[in-house]
Amino acid sequence: MAPRSVQIVLFGGFELLDVFGPVELFGLLPEQFAVTFLAPGEAPVRSSQGVTVNADHTYAAAPAPDIILVPGGLATREVITDEAFLAWLRGHGTAARLVTSVCTGSALLAAAGLLEGYRATSNKYAFRWVETFGSTVEWVPHARWVEDRDRWTSSGVAAGMDMTVALIRALYGDDVAAEATGMAELDYRTDSTQDPFAALHGL
């Protein structure tokens, strides 16, 4: 069986761990996942931490999607006003089998119309801002991550790794997930409702 394609949607100012936490886990399972990076253009994309990434494809030339992952970061507050980006994300995400996000990446999904009729969560520090997007999104404040059919969204930054473990378990079972987490020595949460950060931010 061919590995499943995971496309990481990059944009200027993306949050580094939102991307490379999940990528570390996917990358430890090359028989199950093949990771590629998408970018607005040919130039390297700079993260909010200053690390640059050379993407495999531009948005315009991206292959048909299977799984896509949209990170967050402070830059989402600028990217979310880019109508051309949102139009592309709407089309590309609609064609994907699974749409996932980390942190405020869910705000981008909502603004693109990809979370209408779904339950979702996001970074609790920015939750009040995120929940202003989408008309029929059921925003869940007390959640480390939320799985709703073909949409997976996680809380802030490090929560993306917990969501990724849960996704791996859903797709390939406990043994495969244990292989990745064992190699990464990751002590992860299995209860998606265990979220101390919601109360911390008054949610």
Side-chain angles (χ1 to χ4, degrees):
M1 182 182 298
R4 296 195 64 165
S5 169
V6 180
Q7 295 179 350
I8 311 295
V9 178
L10 300 178
F11 49 83
F14 71 90
E15 182 68 26
L16 199 63
L17 188 60
D18 286 8
V19 168
F20 288 102
V23 165
E24 171 71 18
L25 294 167
F26 289 134
L28 290 170
L29 300 170
E31 293 185 3
Q32 287 80 21
F33 299 100
V35 177
T36 56
F37 296 91
L38 310 182
E42 299 288 348
V45 184
R46 184 176 296 276
S47 71
S48 62
Q49 287 75 25
V51 176
T52 58
V53 178
N54 292 309
D56 300 285
H57 307 284
T58 64
Y59 296 162
D66 178 7
I67 302 170
I68 68 169
L69 183 145
V70 179
L74 290 176
T76 54
R77 293 177 183 265
E78 297 180 13
V79 178
I80 209 162
T81 65
D82 185 339
E83 292 298 334
F85 168 77
L86 294 178
W88 171 82
L89 183 60
R90 183 179 307 114
H92 200 65
T94 298
R97 294 182 182 179
L98 287 175
V99 175
T100 72
S101 67
V102 179
C103 193
T104 52
S106 58
L108 298 179
L109 295 182
L114 293 171
L115 294 180
E116 293 303 307
Y118 285 89
R119 299 170 65 248
T121 196
S122 194
N123 184 304
K124 302 314 179 305
Y125 181 81
F127 198 83
R128 293 304 184 195
W129 173 72
V130 172
E131 68 180 353
T132 63
F133 297 97
S135 300
T136 62
V137 183
E138 182 183 343
W139 291 107
V140 182
H142 290 266
R144 185 73 170 164
W145 73 89
V146 169
E147 171 196 358
D148 187 353
R149 293 162 285 164
D150 55 353
R151 300 290 189 267
W152 291 67
T153 55
S154 77
S155 186
V157 193
M161 298 185 75
D162 289 346
M163 179 192 73
T164 303
V165 175
L167 178 61
I168 293 170
R169 291 176 69 193
L171 294 177
Y172 291 105
D174 292 344
D175 290 345
V176 174
E179 179 183 351
T181 56
M183 285 188 286
E185 297 192 2
L186 176 64
D187 185 11
Y188 61 95
R189 295 180 182 177
T190 58
D191 182 355
S192 65
T193 66
Q194 185 182 1
D195 180 18
F197 300 99
L200 183 65
H201 294 291
L203 299 172

